[in-house]
Amino acid sequence: MNTSTSVTKRGLSLVAVAIAALALVGCAPAVTAPVTPTASDVWIKAVPELMDGMAMTGVFMTLENPTDEDIELVGATNTTEGLTEKPLETHEVVKNAAGEMVMQETEGGIVIPAQGSVTLKPGGYHVMYWDLLKPIPVGSTVTLTLEFSNGTTLDVEAVAREIANANETYDPEADAEGSTEMNH
């Protein structure tokens, strides 16, 4: 056998091995990145002026989960410069043993069911802003990053709205016990 034929056969053998390896890689299960839930109708309760001890507000929205597994909204980070230095928290409003509506931090986050959605709304689930450093006028925009249990994040813009029936007061003594009373 001549040398050039031997080199050609060896080259063709290497090409065949490379094609077979690529075919096997194509059959391997694809590694998919986690899917980020989507957010719609994102808004924040306007705070036109800061009052003593009342520099807080909530962010509301609808979150949708297109996956086959539950995903939790576990936190959020403010990205609006100069708005607050405090971490944001996921909260819910529940009835306590005395039948009073109280606000408390969610344990484990807010569940967005598989193939479903959850609505964050006044009197229910929300993302809580504490110790605001400046007002949030009606029509202004606040930006934040939502953090999910599957390791994904989502940047959202919340438009400030005025809501007439959300003039709740907060009881600082109840907050020291781990929840905050809301009076409407």
Side-chain angles (χ1 to χ4, degrees):
M1 182 180 334
N2 102 25
T3 309
S4 89
T5 305
S6 174
V7 169
T8 302
K9 285 183 180 180
R10 223 177 299 152
L12 288 174
S13 295
L14 288 174
V15 168
V17 167
I19 290 172
L22 287 173
L24 288 174
V25 168
C27 294
V31 176
T32 58
V35 175
T36 303
T38 60
S40 60
D41 192 27
V42 183
W43 62 281
I44 187 167
K45 180 185 171 206
V47 181
E49 61 183 80
L50 301 181
M51 299 184 304
D52 292 337
M54 297 301 294
M56 60 184 77
T57 192
V59 177
F60 311 97
M61 68 195 80
T62 298
L63 295 169
E64 293 188 38
N65 175 3
T67 73
D68 292 328
E69 295 185 21
D70 291 350
I71 299 174
E72 293 81 28
L73 171 63
V74 294
T77 304
N78 171 61
T79 54
T80 300
E81 189 174 329
L83 187 57
T84 185
E85 295 174 354
K86 296 283 186 174
L88 306 183
E89 299 173 349
T90 58
H91 279 213
E92 63 184 333
V93 177
V94 297
K95 202 174 275 194
N96 68 12
E100 302 163 324
M101 298 305 289
V102 294
M103 181 177 58
Q104 64 186 19
E105 191 168 353
T106 60
E107 213 166 295
I110 299 169
V111 176
I112 312 162
Q115 297 294 325
S117 65
V118 64
T119 300
L120 284 63
K121 59 186 177 184
Y125 291 122
H126 56 280
V127 174
M128 192 73 193
Y129 267 83
W130 296 103
D131 295 335
L132 295 174
L133 301 173
K134 63 183 181 181
I136 304 172
V138 172
S140 64
T141 302
V142 169
T143 57
L144 58 150
T145 301
L146 305 175
E147 301 159 0
F148 300 99
S149 59
N150 66 352
T152 62
T153 60
L154 179 65
D155 294 334
V156 295
E157 290 186 352
V159 177
R161 294 183 188 168
E162 182 178 5
I163 47 177
N165 65 345
N167 296 319
E168 62 268 7
T169 58
Y170 297 87
D171 179 359
E173 290 177 19
D175 191 37
E177 298 167 6
S179 63
T180 304
E181 185 175 340
M182 298 177 58
N183 299 312
H184 297 279

